[in-house]
């Protein structure tokens, strides 16, 4: 019998508590959680998806999902920031399992301590992975220069390599999407513009590219017609790991609601808060909604790990998982606030911070509208 996965081996309780203790200050100052990242790096967390033979922990995608849920209970913004690095290592690992070593340098770089950021989102590009407003200009020898604007670039203060894409229109009859990685240097401006409602610690700043060059050995794919296996792998890793963060956030909100109910005595002639039928019904509803998330994540991450092809339903299932996790988390948090009462509305209360963090969920791809369009298309347009 296979031993059950123990998340405390990679995220010990004392590490979780240190990160939780710092979360409020990170949010208040709108700063990057440098101490969290240093602790996580020391614990080998940035290498969890790197195969053991390459110097990592050799964990699976389902195991990484469990860990990201756990990390999000301590600090959603730290978990979300680290998520972007983990997405690239997950993609590199998945491609390697398919016999494609195009991203082997990501696995080796993560082992050496590199930090990989996600430079895909762009203003006005609703197709995200499947189009780009960034110009990709071919250079001699197979290199590319990228000019455009990327938004929501998490890990902005610390990344060493930025994975991005752009559109090569040098052949009007055969435009291509180019996926590559660039290091910090000329042609890259990181704007200090992350001043938002929640998830403040991610420091997901705007990145302006002006001829930023990717060397030939860091150009990983030219996609003429998609979806390419690289795009599918990125989509799967991103949607499922983002869903993991918001599932962990929902778990923490449920914990805080239960703690609040237990801590509040009843008024004279009324039952204790934890015995109030209305409170118990609300917490029961929260629990039922939450319980579906880790179960669905376990199934979908296991399917991706095993290479199971869901055909025309693939993008619907992945986008639906992300949308379900973020919308359910919002609902659970809103109910947690009602259970906790007016004290949770005050700055400094963990639920107040979480109530702001959870609202970022709607802005990660796939958006609620995009997820519904994907789902509708897979039923209406693909159905014979």
């Amino acid at each position: 019998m296979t031993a059950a996965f123990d998340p405390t081996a990679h995220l010990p309780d004392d590490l979780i508590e240190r990160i939780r203790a710092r979360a409020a200050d990170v949010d208040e100052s709108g700063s990057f959680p440098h101490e969290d990242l240093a602790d996580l790096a020391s614990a080998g967390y940035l290498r969890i998806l790197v195969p053991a033979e390459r110097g990592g922990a050799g964990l699976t995608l389902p195991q990484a999902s469990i860990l990201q849920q756990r990390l999000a209970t301590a600090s959603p913004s730290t978990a979300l920031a680290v998520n972007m690095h983990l997405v690239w290592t997950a993609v590199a690992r998945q491609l390697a399992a398919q016999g494609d070593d195009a991203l082997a340098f990501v696995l080796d770089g993560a082992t050496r301590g590199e930090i990989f950021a996600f430079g895909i989102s762009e203003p006005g590009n609703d197709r995200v992975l499947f189009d780009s407003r960034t110009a990709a200009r071919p250079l001699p020898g197979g290199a590319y220069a990228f000019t455009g604007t990327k938004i929501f670039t998490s890990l902005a203060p610390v990344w060493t390599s930025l994975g991005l894409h752009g559109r090569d229109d040098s052949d009007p009859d055969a435009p291509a999407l180019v996926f590559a990685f660039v290091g910090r240097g000329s042609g890259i401006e990181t704007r200090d513009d992350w001043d938002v409602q929640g998830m403040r610690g991610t420091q997901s700043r705007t990145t302006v590219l002006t001829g930023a060059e990717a060397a030939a050995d860091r150009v990983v794919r030219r996609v003429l017609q998609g979806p390419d296996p690289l795009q599918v792998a990125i989509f799967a890793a991103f949607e499922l790991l983002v869903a993991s963060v918001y599932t962990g956030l929902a778990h923490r909100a449920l914990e805080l609601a239960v703690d609040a109910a237990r801590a509040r005595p009843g008024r004279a002639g009324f039952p204790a808060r934890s015995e109030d039928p209305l409170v118990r019904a609300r917490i029961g509803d929260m629990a039922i909604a939450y319980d579906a998330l880790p179960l669905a994540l376990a199934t979908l991450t296991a399917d991706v790990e095993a290479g199971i092809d869901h055909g025309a339903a693939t993008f619907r299932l992945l986008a639906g998982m992300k949308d379900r996790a973020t919308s359910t988390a919002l609902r659970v948090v809103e109910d947690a606030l009602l259970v906790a009462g007016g004290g949770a509305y005050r700055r400094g209360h963990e639920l107040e911070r979480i109530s702001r963090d959870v609202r970022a969920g709607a802005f990660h791809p796939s958006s609620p509208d995009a997820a519904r369009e994907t789902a509708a298309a897979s039923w209406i347009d693909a159905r014979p």
Side-chain angles (χ1 to χ4, degrees):
M1 180 180 294
T2 304
F5 175 64
D6 179 11
T8 63
H10 302 275
L11 283 176
D13 291 342
D14 62 330
L15 175 54
I16 287 293
E17 289 307 318
R18 289 201 304 276
I19 291 173
R20 179 172 291 134
R22 293 190 287 249
D25 288 340
V26 167
D27 173 73
E28 183 67 26
S29 61
S31 59
F32 184 80
H34 290 282
E35 291 179 277
D36 292 356
L37 186 66
D39 278 353
L40 291 168
S42 295
Y45 195 76
L46 302 184
R47 306 191 303 272
I48 57 173
L49 284 166
V50 177
E53 61 271 19
R54 299 188 100 113
L59 299 189
T60 64
L61 186 61
Q63 291 168 336
S65 172
I66 291 170
L67 288 173
Q68 281 296 90
Q69 292 172 53
R70 177 169 167 78
L71 181 56
T73 67
S75 174
S77 63
T78 295
L80 189 61
V82 172
N83 220 55
M84 304 312 163
H85 170 88
L86 294 180
V87 165
W88 283 123
T89 57
V91 171
R93 180 180 174 279
Q94 184 176 339
L95 291 181
Q98 299 169 2
D100 183 347
D101 287 329
L103 290 180
F105 66 87
V106 169
L107 299 174
D108 294 336
T111 300
R112 293 192 304 269
E114 284 199 60
I115 298 174
F116 294 90
F118 200 73
I120 300 296
S121 294
E122 300 168 332
N125 177 17
D126 294 333
R127 298 194 65 204
V128 195
L129 275 172
F130 304 100
D131 199 1
S132 179
R133 291 188 161 206
T134 296
R137 177 171 57 88
L139 300 174
Y144 267 88
F146 293 86
T147 297
T149 299
K150 302 292 184 176
I151 55 175
F152 300 127
T153 313
S154 301
L155 299 166
V158 297
W159 63 260
T160 59
S161 190
L162 178 66
L164 46 68
H165 74 331
R167 184 181 171 104
D168 176 6
D169 288 319
S170 57
D171 181 351
D173 296 326
L177 283 180
V178 181
F179 291 81
F181 286 76
V182 299
R184 289 191 184 272
S186 62
I188 298 177
E189 175 196 355
T190 299
R191 293 179 177 168
D192 189 3
D193 61 354
W194 190 245
D195 186 9
V196 288
Q197 179 180 13
M199 291 293 186
R200 288 162 56 76
T202 64
Q203 285 301 299
S204 305
R205 304 174 185 177
T206 300
T207 303
V208 180
L209 309 168
T210 310
E213 294 188 13
D217 63 352
R218 293 295 184 265
V219 177
V220 298
R221 194 74 99 241
R222 292 183 76 257
V223 179
L224 294 175
Q225 288 185 325
D228 181 90
L230 173 66
Q231 292 168 302
V232 176
I234 294 172
F235 194 87
F238 186 92
E239 298 293 87
L240 296 178
L241 289 175
V242 165
S244 300
V245 169
Y246 286 89
T247 296
L249 188 155
H251 185 278
R252 182 58 178 166
L254 183 52
E255 286 182 331
L256 292 170
V258 170
D259 289 346
R262 286 174 171 168
R264 292 182 63 182
R267 292 175 294 164
F270 290 87
R273 186 76 167 158
S274 60
E275 298 303 318
D276 186 324
L278 293 176
V279 171
R280 294 179 73 87
R282 190 178 297 279
I283 289 177
D285 190 54
M286 293 163 63
I288 290 170
Y290 162 76
D291 282 341
L293 299 180
L295 294 175
L297 274 170
T299 297
L300 283 173
T301 53
D303 285 356
V304 171
E305 183 74 18
I308 294 174
D309 184 1
H310 288 284
T314 296
F315 290 105
R316 178 187 87 217
L317 292 173
L318 295 169
M321 181 71 250
K322 179 266 170 182
D323 182 74
R324 191 158 52 251
T326 55
S327 60
T328 299
L330 178 59
R331 170 185 162 193
V332 168
V333 170
E334 295 290 358
D335 279 347
L337 288 168
L338 293 176
V339 170
Y345 190 60
R346 291 183 177 276
R347 293 295 300 273
H349 195 290
E350 188 174 354
L351 270 174
E352 183 274 334
R353 171 171 50 81
I354 288 176
S355 73
R356 290 182 285 104
D357 285 346
V358 73
R359 281 164 172 76
F363 301 104
H364 308 299
S366 297
S367 70
D369 288 348
R372 282 153 181 73
E373 172 56 28
T374 298
S378 74
W379 280 96
I380 297 172
D381 301 337
R383 187 174 177 83

